[in-house]
Amino acid sequence: MWLGLDDTDSLDGGCTTLVFHELLNSLPCEYGEARLTRLWPFADKRTRGNASLSVEIFADDSIVEWLDEYWNKNILPLKGKVAKSEHSQREQYPSDPGMTLFDEQPDEQYYWDAVRGEVDYLIGGHQWGGNGRIGAAASCAWRETNPTWEAIAWRKGERMVSEMALEVVDNMEGTFLCRDPRTNRGLIAPRGPCPVMFGVRATSRSVANDACEELIEGSAQTIGHRIFKTNQASGDHLDSSFTETVNDKISLTGGHVIINDRYLVFSESGKVNTIAQWLQIEDSFECVGLEYEGKIHVEAIRIINSENKTRPLCKCGTRMKSMGAGQGVRCPKCKVRSEDSWDINKRIPPFAGWVQPPADKRRHLAKPLT
Ligand SMILES: [Zn+2]
């Protein structure tokens, strides 16, 4: 059977990962690897982070009654509390927890639909609660293509991770996004009131485990920890890339750039924004991003071609001028004529190849460039 949980985040506790951790600890049956999935970031009424959780459990139908009781006592009371985020300017919705239980793993397509767009409730199985049932079911449907792992520990009181432990973990082969390489600031500990002490990401379960032990050693007191298999850094939210020629470019106050009235590049996106600012009309580029309200929110970009075209110089050193379409060029000074031609100068982009926003401005789902 597959058990899913989502949308229990709130200001005073209720962090979905911790609620799920406690649920697993209480389960009267065996269970598989805990899974954390990130879904479409623009989902209607999403709460902070948009993380949903799931696990395979080895139980019979009698588990339904047990889950009923657990739901009413421990999870339902979290409904309606509002999560506060210091990062997001988006409106936060009251949490609307949901839990799902399926005999068989739901159809994989439901996951792909939920990670790339808005989906409706999945019919079937046993379901508890409200809006969170969508994420819970979508998490159950995840087939673990391109997984990474995250070890999460929850704090007892204050949030403190030693700089030394962070240093060790950052240098471990197989951890990623531990630090922002630009500012050197640690990225593993969240800010704000949530009960997470740290979340450390790795490309394997064993590295996540080693990193977790190291960090717990160098942290304030924790009340528990668990390793989750995740779809973070999978790139699952992006379907295919877009290749375009710049016909139109608008720079907004604040530094955002809109290309061809379709591609939106935020000022916070670092090198991606630098590239967008640098692009000129007729340049060609390739990008990836999610579509929302008719605009593609660009998450990575590369220049395909950029060039300046100028008329050739005459022997006298003066720039030739066009005589009109198909009429060739002429030196305005000594009136020498020549065939219609251009001098093409390739522009060298400020960064070669694909670029991405800085580490702390990327989506959880964004696949790091290698
Ligand atoms: Zn001349």
Side-chain angles (χ1 to χ4, degrees):
M1 300 175 114
W2 286 84
L3 177 64
L5 180 72
D6 190 20
D7 204 0
T8 68
D9 288 39
S10 74
L11 187 56
D12 40 351
C15 164
T16 311
T17 57
L18 180 55
V19 173
F20 193 64
H21 173 69
E22 287 167 346
L23 167 61
L24 293 185
N25 284 345
S26 308
L27 272 179
C29 62
E30 297 289 309
Y31 55 89
E33 190 169 22
R35 302 153 17 117
L36 183 162
T37 48
R38 305 280 180 176
L39 300 172
W40 193 54
F42 302 113
D44 197 25
K45 295 182 182 169
R46 62 155 206 167
T47 49
R48 183 180 56 200
N50 216 22
S52 50
L53 298 133
S54 59
V55 69
E56 185 173 16
I57 63 171
F58 306 99
D60 56 35
D61 279 342
S62 66
I63 196 73
V64 176
E65 200 184 320
W66 185 91
L67 285 170
D68 251 338
E69 240 173 77
Y70 191 92
W71 169 266
N72 286 323
K73 191 170 164 222
N74 300 292
I75 304 177
L76 189 59
L78 302 168
K79 181 177 160 67
K81 297 182 174 170
V82 179
K84 271 258 170 67
S85 167
E86 284 161 20
H87 309 295
S88 171
Q89 266 118 57
R90 280 175 66 100
E91 187 181 350
Q92 294 289 313
Y93 290 90
S95 61
D96 191 8
M99 187 166 76
T100 55
L101 181 71
F102 300 96
D103 288 341
E104 304 286 337
Q105 193 169 21
D107 185 36
E108 179 176 4
Q109 191 56 44
Y110 188 69
Y111 163 73
W112 290 109
D113 291 346
V115 77
R116 290 179 179 168
E118 191 91 59
V119 289
D120 205 344
Y121 296 101
L122 183 65
I123 308 296
H126 297 270
Q127 308 202 5
W128 293 261
N131 192 55
R133 288 180 289 151
I134 293 175
S139 186
C140 289
W142 179 47
R143 292 303 194 276
E144 307 184 353
T145 37
N146 307 315
T148 62
W149 283 259
E150 179 164 353
I152 296 178
W154 300 275
R155 61 200 169 104
K156 187 170 187 199
E158 62 158 344
R159 182 184 290 127
M160 192 286 292
V161 175
S162 93
E163 191 54 35
M164 227 159 73
L166 176 61
E167 187 72 36
V168 172
V169 164
D170 189 31
N171 287 321
M172 274 183 188
E173 182 78 30
T175 59
F176 63 96
L177 290 182
C178 294
R179 255 186 221 283
D180 185 337
R182 294 175 314 157
T183 59
N184 212 32
R185 192 171 68 79
L187 294 175
I188 63 165
R191 283 173 287 184
C194 106
V196 170
M197 175 77 86
F198 63 77
V200 61
R201 296 167 189 211
T203 52
S204 76
R205 163 168 274 274
S206 65
V207 172
N209 190 55
D210 293 348
C212 188
E213 282 176 10
E214 188 71 38
L215 289 166
I216 284 175
E217 193 90 348
S219 295
Q221 219 177 341
T222 55
I223 53 171
H225 64 273
R226 187 178 290 277
I227 297 167
F228 294 88
K229 197 172 196 175
T230 87
N231 70 341
Q232 292 173 156
S234 65
D236 280 358
H237 61 314
L238 300 172
D239 199 352
S240 53
S241 68
F242 306 92
T243 300
E244 287 282 339
T245 301
V246 182
N247 304 313
D248 174 67
K249 193 180 109 171
I250 304 167
S251 293
L252 304 177
T253 46
H256 311 311
V257 179
I258 301 174
I259 298 163
N260 296 353
D261 197 31
R262 177 151 173 83
Y263 298 91
L264 182 55
V265 182
F266 290 105
S267 62
E268 306 82 34
S269 63
K271 289 178 178 175
V272 179
N273 188 265
T274 307
I275 290 283
Q277 300 278 2
W278 182 86
L279 279 170
Q280 57 185 29
I281 304 298
E282 290 191 20
D283 284 355
S284 54
F285 67 94
E286 186 180 3
C287 70
V288 294
L290 283 174
E291 181 165 355
Y292 184 61
E293 292 179 344
K295 299 271 190 288
I296 304 293
H297 292 215
V298 176
E299 292 185 34
I301 195 168
R302 75 178 181 95
I303 305 284
I304 295 172
N305 190 47
S306 177
E307 55 194 30
N308 283 327
K309 290 199 312 190
T310 50
R311 293 298 183 182
L313 291 176
C314 170
K315 285 195 183 92
C316 75
T318 310
R319 181 83 51 202
M320 305 282 241
K321 280 201 168 130
S322 172
M323 305 275 292
Q327 301 292 304
V329 293
R330 189 179 70 167
C331 173
K333 209 164 166 188
C334 50
K335 313 295 181 199
V336 170
R337 287 176 176 231
S338 167
E339 271 177 43
D340 202 356
S341 66
W342 291 100
D343 278 351
I344 307 257
N345 297 300
K346 289 265 182 199
R347 295 170 76 221
I348 309 297
F351 313 105
W354 284 98
V355 294
Q356 236 174 348
D360 62 336
K361 302 291 183 211
R362 277 176 222 160
R363 298 193 191 287
H364 296 294
L365 281 160
K367 191 173 189 155
L369 300 169
T370 47

